[in-house]
Amino acid sequence: MSARAGDHGRTRQMEVYLAGLRGRRGVVPFDADKLETIGRRRMGREAYAYIAGGAGLESTMAANRAAFERHRIVPRVLRDVSQRDTSVTLFGRTLPTPFLLAPIGALELANREADLAVGKAAAAEGVPLIFSSQASKPMEVVAAAMGDAPRWFQLYWSTSDELVASFVRRAEACGCEAIVVTLDTTMLGWRARDLDLAHLPFAVGKGMAQYTSDPVFTAMLRPEPLERSSRPTPAAVRSLLRAKASYPGGLRANLRSDLPLAAVRQFLATYSRPSLSWADLPQLRELTSLPILLKGILHPDDARSAVGAGIDGIVVSNHGGRQVDGAIASLDALPAVADAVGGRIPILLDSGVRGGADAFKALALGASAVLIGRPYAYGLALAGEQGVREVIRNFAADFDLTLGLAGCTAVSELGPERLESIP
Ligand SMILES: Cc1cc2nc3c(=O)[nH]c(=O)nc-3n(C[C@H](O)[C@H](O)[C@H](O)COP(=O)(O)O)c2cc1C
């Protein structure tokens, strides 16, 4: 995807309709709900529950969508919208569209190629990918497949400062252009779907590739032989085999190794730090000169503190409703956060973004860009790299057409006056 001044929404539309004349349909559904429904069929029960689910009653997931519904675009007409520019500039880099791919962990649940397929798709479309701390492929592997396409790194702050430093060093070395610290997941939310299935991907070694490829993490491993006191159940054997299969080298190489289980134990003991506070941030600043963003900000006072702490950007997010059930919708939190920030640093938003109109609304309310979350995971489940590419292209085209049809020719024209909010 090249620079974004032009008419690419219509180009994409015509590509789809002309392919239809030859009897070909898009590889992923265009409707967000259908994307999820069809994506679900390609995943196991546990995988779908982990990706689709949210915390508690999932009321925050519903609130995210309701907030987008409550804001309506008020189109203007007769404004020559034949050429449109959907580009935005973030930290000195111009992006073709206001979209980035959110960090999503354990993507091997959707497709074996996981982050590698996503990285290739993001690079091909010129959309930055935010590597997850919980990725299924090491960041170096994905970066190598992306050429010089933009990528950022998302950090879960573990209890080991040495591990944090190692992750940041590796992210810099593989060309990440920003560090996104996720603050809303110092503990896992209470996720009913996963609890019902008693399934956590990390407990079977999935989504741990950044750790098992890390020299600091692997030096911490203390393999202990399994206790043989009681006869293991078939399920316990299966879980153990899954952990061994997920560990570098694969099942065969790890059959006799105690490292995979040691890695799971070590990970569960250290992956997050509930004691994290504002006082820890200067330490990260000392580790890197890359822009630092805080992900999971929903209160204007926290946004003010972030600016005061010299943070470079904010991601307004409730983690797709996966953490605090009943939390405010990201879009509802955005105006007050934007007001508090007063344009001093860029604000990104995610949670519930399902199409071009949602991006339009978030940008109108003060975001500089939005993150695509679950929809690309469903694209990955459906058709690997190609599925993710199509999801990105569909978001981009939908946004471009919405922009023009609303009477705008550039992202800079978006402001709250473009929207009406329905009580
Ligand atoms: C399966 C799954 C795994 C996720 N893993 C991470 C992660 O590793 N790090 C992170 O900061 N956010 C993670 N998120 C949150 C996303 O970055 C993003 O905030 C969220 O998906 C946005 O909501 P949406 O999917 O409803 O659009 C994850 C989300 C999902 C659905």
Side-chain angles (χ1 to χ4, degrees):
M1 199 157 54
S2 56
R4 277 294 172 200
D7 197 15
H8 66 92
R10 279 208 301 177
T11 308
R12 170 76 181 140
Q13 230 173 12
M14 289 323 294
E15 181 182 281
V16 173
Y17 290 133
L18 290 175
L21 295 179
R22 297 192 300 275
R24 294 219 317 265
R25 299 256 173 90
V27 297
V28 300
F30 293 88
D31 172 79
D33 292 335
K34 207 164 163 192
L35 182 62
E36 175 171 344
T37 314
I38 308 286
R40 175 182 193 166
R41 293 189 200 148
R42 302 297 283 268
M43 284 185 262
R45 224 161 38 121
E46 293 173 341
Y48 177 71
Y50 183 71
I51 292 173
L57 303 177
E58 302 190 340
S59 64
T60 300
M61 278 168 58
N64 284 333
R65 286 307 310 153
F68 282 108
E69 291 300 326
R70 242 184 295 108
H71 289 90
R72 302 280 167 178
I73 298 166
V74 187
R76 303 297 306 272
V77 296
L78 293 174
R79 294 181 160 214
D80 184 1
V81 293
S82 54
Q83 291 293 304
R84 301 162 304 279
D85 179 0
T86 58
S87 68
V88 296
T89 301
L90 281 178
F91 307 116
R93 191 189 262 268
T94 300
L95 307 174
T97 66
F99 296 106
L100 294 88
L101 298 189
I104 293 195
L107 279 172
E108 67 206 275
L109 295 173
N111 178 294
R112 294 176 72 158
E113 289 292 296
D115 312 83
L116 193 54
V118 175
K120 289 178 188 167
E125 298 301 328
V127 168
L129 167 61
I130 308 179
F131 296 162
S132 165
S133 269
Q134 301 311 131
S136 297
K137 302 278 179 192
M139 59 182 109
E140 291 80 4
V141 171
V142 183
M146 291 181 72
D148 54 11
R151 58 266 190 170
W152 297 3
F153 177 70
Q154 174 267 322
L155 176 73
Y156 279 137
W157 201 308
S158 90
T159 50
S160 160
D161 287 338
E162 292 73 34
L163 185 59
V164 169
S166 180
F167 275 7
V168 171
R169 264 196 309 275
R170 290 171 59 198
E172 285 186 336
C174 65
C176 292
E177 295 176 4
I179 305 287
V180 179
V181 192
T182 299
L183 302 176
D184 55 21
T185 312
T186 54
M187 296 172 277
L188 270 188
W190 184 253
R191 300 180 188 164
R193 299 196 211 197
D194 296 334
L195 292 163
D196 277 341
L197 294 170
H199 170 252
L200 182 68
F202 318 112
V204 286
K206 294 186 195 297
M208 281 177 43
Q210 311 294 21
Y211 300 81
T212 53
S213 60
D214 191 279
V216 172
F217 182 82
T218 48
M220 290 194 257
L221 298 184
R222 300 278 170 270
E224 294 164 25
L226 269 183
E227 284 173 33
R228 310 264 177 219
S229 54
S230 58
R231 220 179 140 77
T233 62
V237 173
R238 263 198 311 277
S239 298
L240 187 61
L241 292 178
R242 286 164 91 184
K244 285 175 185 274
S246 297
Y247 199 76
L251 181 59
R252 191 186 290 237
N254 291 306
L255 264 181
R256 293 179 183 286
S257 168
D258 294 318
L259 280 176
L261 204 57
V264 168
R265 284 201 191 110
Q266 183 67 32
F267 169 78
L268 293 175
T270 55
Y271 92 95
S272 80
R273 186 190 296 202
S275 65
L276 201 65
S277 77
W278 290 100
D280 293 305
L281 293 180
Q283 193 185 326
L284 181 61
R285 182 80 291 166
E286 277 175 26
L287 288 176
T288 183
S289 54
L290 291 176
I292 298 173
L293 293 92
L294 301 184
K295 178 170 181 275
I297 298 276
L298 293 166
H299 194 291
D301 287 348
D302 285 341
R304 274 186 210 98
S305 301
V307 175
I311 292 301
D312 303 286
I314 281 174
V315 186
V316 173
S317 169
N318 55 35
H319 213 102
R322 296 164 70 79
Q323 287 299 100
V324 179
D325 190 30
I328 184 171
S330 294
L331 194 74
D332 285 334
L334 177 61
V337 168
D339 200 39
V341 167
R344 287 173 289 176
I345 54 175
I347 300 171
L348 281 63
L349 174 135
D350 74 20
S351 300
V353 175
R354 296 293 178 267
D358 297 340
F360 183 108
K361 292 172 187 178
L363 267 57
L365 291 177
S368 298
V370 298
L371 313 187
I372 305 173
R374 291 180 180 92
Y376 87 77
Y378 298 132
L380 177 68
L382 274 172
E385 177 187 344
Q386 192 57 28
V388 179
R389 282 192 73 167
E390 299 240 338
V391 168
I392 297 170
R393 296 175 78 197
N394 294 342
F395 269 88
D398 184 9
F399 176 73
D400 177 49
L401 290 168
T402 304
L403 188 73
L405 289 168
C408 306
T409 54
V411 165
S412 56
E413 293 167 30
L414 301 185
E417 69 286 352
R418 301 277 172 197
L419 306 179
E420 191 70 38
S421 71
I422 316 283

